[in-house]
Amino acid sequence: MSNATSETCQRPQQYLQPGRFIDSDHPRVLDFVQRYKVPGNRAIDSAIRLYLAVRDEILYDPYLVGPDPRYFRASDCLAAGRGFCIPKAALLAACARAIGVPARVGYADVRNHLASKRLDELIGGNRYHWHSYTDLYLEGRWVKATPAFNRALCERFGVHVLEFDGRHDSLLQPFDQSGNRHMAYERQRGVFEDVPYERILADFESNHPRWLHHRNDLDDELFGHRGRAENGTA
């Protein structure tokens, strides 16, 4: 199910089941969770540690994108060790569900003022459709977490590293460390039980076709991306 969810009809327990893209029952995801979860009964502690693991152990790579479902799936992002915001948010949601924390994925269109010239050319400007975050149900309320940008990347770009305390929304900052505009949220698209792959793909085909279908052998030193042959299966 990939319908947008109204805040007025929340049922947290419905966000515990594995999905096609939030595949929380995948052995790779379960192994990752076992490595990083915190012993004990406080789910918030494990959620924070898993957030940090997804943020920093899985590198942000805006060039690892394509029309194949594997570019959007949590377990495939984990296997690659890198991915863009959509699979990274799905991975955090999968990890949360694996430890019994209800989780869903949310989306917004954003204007990113901090990108490389090469990436802006592929995107077709600096407005990114369907930027993704994770919505976690902790201590009786939904809180947003954005594990997209890893620490090393933030330091390279001079952007504040985005922290998450499990109690307050953690969304991308509007300004970088020098006070320059960094990220602006322009349109909220709602929260979903699983990645709405078909809707995102159709939107990317219309608004980001060059990015969606670019060859994966491009280099971009700012993002630490090195051109390489594609691998993996759907």
Side-chain angles (χ1 to χ4, degrees):
M1 178 179 178
S2 295
N3 293 326
T5 303
S6 168
E7 292 291 333
T8 62
C9 61
Q10 302 171 359
R11 294 199 336 269
Q13 298 308 307
Q14 81 182 69
Y15 301 104
L16 285 171
Q17 297 303 312
R20 178 186 177 194
F21 294 92
I22 303 177
D23 51 347
S24 53
D25 58 346
H26 194 285
R28 195 179 293 129
V29 173
L30 297 176
D31 287 344
F32 185 79
V33 167
Q34 286 300 317
R35 283 164 48 200
Y36 290 104
K37 74 175 183 179
V38 177
N41 298 322
R42 280 172 48 88
I44 190 171
D45 294 333
S46 287
I48 293 170
R49 193 171 183 201
L50 287 164
Y51 166 83
L52 295 173
V54 174
R55 186 192 72 185
D56 293 333
E57 298 301 321
I58 309 301
L59 304 182
Y60 178 75
D61 189 342
Y63 291 92
L64 199 63
V65 63
D68 193 281
R70 74 177 183 270
Y71 292 107
F72 298 80
R73 187 180 295 122
S75 60
D76 285 308
C77 178
L78 185 54
R82 58 202 307 127
F84 68 117
C85 62
I86 291 177
K88 289 194 68 173
L91 176 57
L92 180 56
C95 291
R97 291 183 186 182
I99 62 168
V101 172
R104 57 195 185 186
V105 281
Y107 301 88
D109 293 352
V110 300
R111 195 167 294 278
N112 183 11
H113 297 269
L114 208 67
S116 68
K117 181 180 178 181
R118 170 161 283 177
L119 183 58
D120 277 349
E121 288 173 349
L122 278 177
I123 292 291
N126 65 359
R127 189 168 195 259
Y128 292 65
H129 291 238
W130 294 91
H131 165 71
S132 190
Y133 58 87
T134 312
D135 217 15
L136 303 172
Y137 195 75
L138 294 167
E139 298 186 338
R141 61 186 295 268
W142 289 103
V143 287
K144 297 177 176 62
T146 311
F149 295 161
N150 53 286
R151 178 179 292 276
L153 181 70
C154 290
E155 292 172 350
R156 191 179 309 135
F157 274 97
V159 175
H160 296 286
V161 179
L162 197 61
E163 303 296 349
F164 177 62
D165 64 5
R167 295 183 173 89
H168 301 89
D169 288 344
S170 178
L171 297 171
L172 295 173
Q173 303 93 328
F175 300 97
D176 65 15
Q177 294 176 358
S178 300
N180 300 311
R181 185 164 291 281
H182 165 45
M183 189 76 74
Y185 286 80
E186 298 196 337
R187 176 188 176 186
Q188 293 292 333
R189 291 185 178 267
V191 290
F192 296 76
E193 188 174 337
D194 200 0
V195 177
Y197 166 73
E198 288 80 9
R199 288 179 61 178
I200 294 174
L201 193 65
D203 206 331
F204 280 8
E205 290 281 8
S206 298
N207 294 285
H208 306 310
R210 290 188 61 208
W211 181 48
L212 184 65
H213 295 289
H214 80 278
R215 287 164 41 193
N216 198 39
D217 59 359
L218 294 174
D219 290 334
D220 191 332
E221 292 184 4
L222 283 175
F223 285 96
H225 181 89
R226 298 290 183 270
R228 56 195 180 278
E230 293 199 33
N231 54 64
T233 58

